[in-house]
Amino acid sequence: MSDINFKQLEKAKKGAHFEWQDLKDKVKFDQDGLIPAIAQQYDSKEVLMMAWMNEKSLQETLQTGRVCYWSRSRQNYWRKGEESGQIQVLKELRFDCDGDAILMLVDQTGPACHTGRRSCFYTLVEGDQATITSEPLIAPEDLYKK
Amino acid sequence: MSDINFKQLEKAKKGAHFEWQDLKDKVKFDQDGLIPAIAQQYDSKEVLMMAWMNEKSLQETLQTGRVCYWSRSRQNYWRKGEESGQIQVLKELRFDCDGDAILMLVDQTGPACHTGRRSCFYTLVEGDQATITSEPLIAPEDLYKK
């Protein structure tokens, strides 16, 4: 099974197991060494945010059970909640069929968004209007004092 | 309001409206002119897939109410379900706080995944194992005959 890849998994039956060790080198990072990672609240199923991981932040996330992204703007590891206290505890991590996107079920403490909102996806486009759909849970000024 | 951007929306109140016409030029496409788009089933909240859109596929999706991606592998428009019949009807389209990711609530007919599975995210990584979590609803051979 050491030459397993995502293409081969397509035909696998439900419940089939493979060694992560053999699969992890087949994860498709982009030209910058990054992969998109979606965070979904495990119980409410709300999609909270999408950010990026590199190989090491993915490894850290799996090992520690706390979500660590790669910040493209800061070019550094972004241990979610390190500054704000609003951590993401990993419940489940899944790859898509091509191995080029990650879905994480997480338990998010408070807001996932730097604006203080629960989810980053608060701008709804409908017809010719964009509408703000939620209020901050915490003012961003208070969020980054912690 | 013609110079509105995503940064300014951060402070907007719930229910505030803006002209999509003024915001759409501020959407952050990457160096290839693409933006990641997540599709979530509107009622079950299952995350079905993540793919990419360019400016025109986004525009088409908003205008027609049927999801159109940009296929990076085929370098062409990918009107979801065109070949397989498994269309995605758009219920809601949202941008994240930075305007560089899209979340769509959709009504997916049958499987979203080319493997015939409902969702593309069927490979669960836990400890040293990767496990297949679902079976195809339809065999892929039958999916692409339609």
Side-chain angles (χ1 to χ4, degrees), chain A residues 6-7 9-21 23 31-32 36 38 40 44-47 50 52 62 72 91-98 100-103 113-115 117 120-135 140-141, chain B residues 6-7 9-21 23 31-32 36 38 40 44-47 50 52 62 72 91-98 100-103 113-115 117 120-135 140-141:
Chain A
F6 283 93
K7 187 79 191 155
L9 298 192
E10 292 184 5
K11 296 281 179 194
K13 293 276 173 199
K14 182 177 174 179
H17 292 293
F18 302 89
E19 295 292 325
W20 167 237
Q21 189 65 32
L23 191 63
Q31 67 270 32
D32 299 319
I38 303 159
Q40 182 180 29
S44 70
K45 303 283 176 73
E46 186 175 16
V47 174
M50 199 214 84
W52 297 81
L62 286 168
R72 297 181 303 173
K91 295 280 188 179
E92 265 192 29
L93 190 143
R94 293 166 174 263
F95 285 89
D96 76 348
C97 49
D98 299 324
D100 63 2
I102 292 171
L103 173 66
C113 185
H114 77 287
T115 64
R117 292 177 177 88
C120 294
F121 293 99
Y122 57 80
T123 304
L124 171 69
V125 176
E126 214 166 23
D128 56 4
Q129 297 279 301
T131 304
I132 305 301
T133 61
S134 69
E135 289 286 345
E141 306 83 73
Chain B
F6 283 94
K7 186 80 192 155
L9 297 192
E10 292 184 4
K11 297 278 178 197
K13 292 275 173 201
K14 182 178 174 179
H17 291 293
F18 303 88
E19 295 293 324
W20 167 236
Q21 189 65 31
L23 190 63
Q31 67 270 34
D32 298 319
I38 303 159
Q40 182 179 29
S44 71
K45 303 281 177 74
E46 185 175 17
V47 174
M50 200 215 84
W52 298 81
L62 285 168
R72 297 181 303 172
K91 294 280 186 177
E92 265 191 31
L93 189 143
R94 292 164 174 265
F95 285 91
D96 75 350
C97 48
D98 300 322
D100 63 3
I102 292 171
L103 173 65
C113 185
H114 77 288
T115 65
R117 293 177 177 88
C120 293
F121 293 99
Y122 57 81
T123 304
L124 171 69
V125 176
E126 213 166 23
D128 56 4
Q129 297 279 301
T131 305
I132 304 301
T133 62
S134 69
E135 290 286 343
E141 306 82 74

Side-chain angles (χ1 to χ4, degrees), chain B residues 100-114:
Chain B
D100 63 3
I102 292 171
L103 173 65
M104 295 179 294
L105 294 180
V106 302
D107 193 6
Q108 168 74 55
T109 302
C113 185
H114 77 288

Side-chain angles (χ1 to χ4, degrees), chain A residues 19-127:
Chain A
E19 295 292 325
W20 167 237
Q21 189 65 32
D22 298 333
L23 191 63
K24 73 179 188 186
D25 294 335
K26 312 299 167 38
V27 172
K28 285 178 208 143
F29 296 98
D30 69 10
Q31 67 270 32
D32 299 319
L34 302 176
I35 186 169
I38 303 159
Q40 182 180 29
Q41 175 65 27
Y42 82 101
D43 46 8
S44 70
K45 303 283 176 73
E46 186 175 16
V47 174
L48 301 169
M49 58 182 287
M50 199 214 84
W52 297 81
M53 288 185 167
N54 64 11
E55 196 180 341
K56 284 193 176 170
S57 67
L58 168 60
Q59 196 177 344
E60 176 174 321
T61 298
L62 286 168
Q63 281 174 354
T64 65
R66 276 196 40 188
V67 179
C68 175
Y69 299 101
W70 176 258
S71 167
R72 297 181 303 173
S73 56
R74 291 187 283 113
Q75 287 287 302
N76 209 341
Y77 294 98
W78 170 22
R79 293 179 180 88
K80 183 72 188 156
E82 201 170 35
E83 281 182 69
S84 66
Q86 313 297 315
I87 65 167
Q88 285 180 350
V89 174
L90 185 69
K91 295 280 188 179
E92 265 192 29
L93 190 143
R94 293 166 174 263
F95 285 89
D96 76 348
C97 49
D98 299 324
D100 63 2
I102 292 171
L103 173 66
M104 294 179 296
L105 295 180
V106 302
D107 193 6
Q108 168 73 53
T109 302
C113 185
H114 77 287
T115 64
R117 292 177 177 88
R118 178 71 174 165
S119 163
C120 294
F121 293 99
Y122 57 80
T123 304
L124 171 69
V125 176
E126 214 166 23

Side-chain angles (χ1 to χ4, degrees), chain B:
Chain B
M1 284 294 184
S2 66
D3 62 349
I4 197 76
N5 59 42
F6 283 94
K7 186 80 192 155
Q8 289 168 291
L9 297 192
E10 292 184 4
K11 297 278 178 197
K13 292 275 173 201
K14 182 178 174 179
H17 291 293
F18 303 88
E19 295 293 324
W20 167 236
Q21 189 65 31
D22 298 332
L23 190 63
K24 72 179 187 184
D25 295 335
K26 313 297 167 38
V27 172
K28 286 179 207 140
F29 296 96
D30 69 10
Q31 67 270 34
D32 298 319
L34 302 177
I35 186 170
I38 303 159
Q40 182 179 29
Q41 174 65 26
Y42 82 102
D43 46 8
S44 71
K45 303 281 177 74
E46 185 175 17
V47 174
L48 300 169
M49 58 181 286
M50 200 215 84
W52 298 81
M53 287 185 167
N54 64 10
E55 196 180 341
K56 284 194 176 169
S57 66
L58 168 60
Q59 196 177 343
E60 176 175 322
T61 299
L62 285 168
Q63 280 174 355
T64 65
R66 278 202 30 193
V67 179
C68 176
Y69 299 100
W70 176 258
S71 167
R72 297 181 303 172
S73 56
R74 291 188 282 113
Q75 287 287 303
N76 209 341
Y77 294 98
W78 170 21
R79 294 178 180 90
K80 184 71 187 157
E82 200 169 35
E83 281 182 68
S84 65
Q86 313 298 314
I87 64 167
Q88 285 180 351
V89 174
L90 184 70
K91 294 280 186 177
E92 265 191 31
L93 189 143
R94 292 164 174 265
F95 285 91
D96 75 350
C97 48
D98 300 322
D100 63 3
I102 292 171
L103 173 65
M104 295 179 294
L105 294 180
V106 302
D107 193 6
Q108 168 74 55
T109 302
C113 185
H114 77 288
T115 65
R117 293 177 177 88
R118 178 71 173 165
S119 162
C120 293
F121 293 99
Y122 57 81
T123 304
L124 171 69
V125 176
E126 213 166 23
D128 56 4
Q129 297 279 301
T131 305
I132 304 301
T133 62
S134 69
E135 290 286 343
L137 304 176
I138 303 176
E141 306 82 74
D142 297 331
L143 204 54
Y144 293 98
K145 263 185 212 156
K146 285 180 186 173

